[in-house]
Amino acid sequence: MQIVLNGSETELADGITVLGLLESRDISAEAVVVELNREIVPADAFGETTLNDGDHLEVLRFVGGG
Amino acid sequence: MSEDSLEIGGLKLASRLFTGTGKYADDAVIPAVCEASGSEVITVALRRVDLESTTGNVMDCIPKHMRLLPNTSGARNADEAVRIARLAKAMGCGDWIKIEVISDNRYLLPDGYETAKATEILAKEGFTVLPYVNADLYIARSLVDAGAAAVMPLGAPIGTNRGLKTKEMVRILIEEIDLPIVVDAGIGRPSEACEAMEMGADAVLVNTAIATASDPVMMARAFGRAVKAGREAYLSGPGARRTQASASSPLTGFLAEG
């Protein structure tokens, strides 16, 4: 299936969860905030939130800024 | 001097210097900068994770006692600022937010109208909102009405190190606005931070001037001292300015008299 991940078309395995995606990219779930189709996904729901074809997912984190 | 703390959003702050985390050659210096400056409030930004590479996490460099002040940089209107603020809060860092709404790329000047709209929405949601705006009395009044916790007028455009170019307008905000005034952006030298504090600003936010100094830790210490000096000068009530001389020594009893 295809989703739009941080603005880029991305091919993912069917049925993958947010947590599964983060783990596959070596990203610590504690260090990020996730927005799925403009709704914030609570961190404790990453494991049970399944991604679907056409979803828009944003994975963000804090960086240096003023 | 008796206790002189700044209260914002119910939090008492002993330090009136806010710092940032942008532009450091190496984020590893940030803990030493925090300690040297005495700052208790520090800004961060929110960005997409680079999915192709895992780089260091700035959060690992921020001492645990610091109050995080995420900004909404990247927002071009009120809706985007509100979206970023909610995401930042979901990170579990508390409910402080610096509203930054900018669509001008050359001078990065803030859009006061969109900033006020975002401030109103977020204040109602329980955020402690610190909006970054032009030093303008009417914008500042709209922020008071919108429920801001402080007003952050710019001294000069972001990152320019040009100092208090807006001095007269900031002075009017200090006089007229019954909220903490935090001078943000443009402060390039400790003397300029000191001047803002002498005028009666409640705090200053400094990022670029510290982060891009050859020795950021020493510069952070200098800014911490300058802000304290300026605050004490303000509280001490500076004497009047005069155009003509006024002798400090008595003008009678000279040796040559009589």
Side-chain angles (χ1 to χ4, degrees):
Chain A
M1 65 171 181
Q2 287 244 317
I3 72 161
V4 179
L5 175 57
N6 284 0
S8 300
E9 290 279 349
T10 306
E11 182 73 29
L12 294 177
D14 287 351
I16 193 170
T17 63
V18 169
L19 186 63
L21 170 65
L22 295 178
E23 284 174 345
S24 74
R25 304 293 178 107
D26 240 358
I27 295 164
S28 163
E30 290 83 49
V32 298
V33 61
V34 172
E35 194 188 61
L36 175 58
N37 302 325
R38 293 291 186 110
E39 297 283 330
I40 294 169
V41 182
D44 57 11
F46 284 176
E48 64 227 37
T49 302
T50 307
L51 298 173
N52 296 299
D53 197 48
D55 277 348
H56 279 71
L57 192 75
E58 294 283 348
V59 182
L60 304 128
R61 66 169 184 163
F62 284 134
V63 298
Chain B
M1 190 169 63
S2 60
E3 187 199 6
D4 171 45
S5 60
L6 169 63
E7 190 168 330
I8 295 181
L11 183 72
K12 279 191 173 179
L13 300 162
S15 170
R16 292 167 181 272
L17 172 61
F18 298 0
T19 48
T21 54
K23 297 186 189 171
Y24 282 95
D26 183 355
D27 287 349
V29 77
I30 291 173
V33 162
C34 291
E35 191 183 345
S37 66
S39 174
E40 296 162 276
V41 176
I42 195 162
T43 58
V44 288
L46 198 64
R47 291 290 182 274
R48 284 172 168 167
V49 171
D50 180 355
L51 297 151
E52 306 308 318
S53 75
T54 46
T55 49
N57 184 354
V58 72
M59 298 301 282
D60 295 339
C61 302
I62 299 176
K64 296 293 168 246
H65 72 274
M66 301 292 288
R67 163 64 56 164
L68 284 182
L69 177 55
N71 67 37
T72 66
S73 66
R76 289 156 300 177
N77 55 46
D79 287 345
E80 289 176 7
V82 167
R83 187 177 168 198
I84 294 168
R86 289 172 181 160
L87 283 161
K89 191 176 186 178
M91 292 284 285
C93 66
D95 57 13
W96 282 38
I97 191 79
K98 172 180 156 182
I99 304 294
E100 205 177 311
V101 180
I102 293 170
S103 51
D104 163 70
N105 287 331
R106 187 170 167 89
Y107 288 104
L108 301 178
L109 292 172
D111 182 329
Y113 175 69
E114 293 292 320
T115 300
K117 276 206 290 186
T119 298
E120 184 164 13
I121 294 165
L122 292 168
K124 279 187 183 139
E125 289 182 17
F127 282 86
T128 295
V129 184
L130 293 90
Y132 167 66
V133 285
N134 278 297
D136 178 280
L137 182 59
Y138 296 96
I139 291 171
R141 283 187 177 146
S142 72
L143 295 173
V144 173
D145 294 342
V151 177
M152 304 181 83
L154 60 89
I158 293 170
T160 58
N161 285 342
R162 297 188 71 222
L164 264 183
K165 296 296 173 195
T166 58
K167 184 176 176 183
E168 281 308 307
M169 298 302 125
V170 169
R171 190 185 60 72
I172 292 169
L173 295 195
I174 291 167
E175 192 178 296
E176 296 291 326
I177 299 297
D178 194 21
L179 279 178
I181 302 295
V182 182
V183 178
D184 178 11
I187 300 285
R189 301 284 185 271
S191 54
E192 294 154 1
C194 188
E195 185 176 18
M197 297 305 297
E198 273 181 12
M199 284 165 56
D202 294 279
V204 296
L205 196 161
V206 180
N207 184 353
T208 300
I210 294 174
T212 63
S214 299
D215 185 337
V217 177
M218 194 185 289
M219 188 59 95
R221 187 176 302 116
F223 266 104
R225 289 172 171 167
V227 166
K228 274 187 191 161
R231 179 65 182 172
E232 288 186 12
Y234 168 73
L235 291 176
S236 69
R241 286 195 164 111
R242 307 166 54 103
T243 50
Q244 293 186 10
S246 165
S248 313
S249 310
L251 289 173
T252 54
F254 294 123
L255 192 63
E257 279 176 5

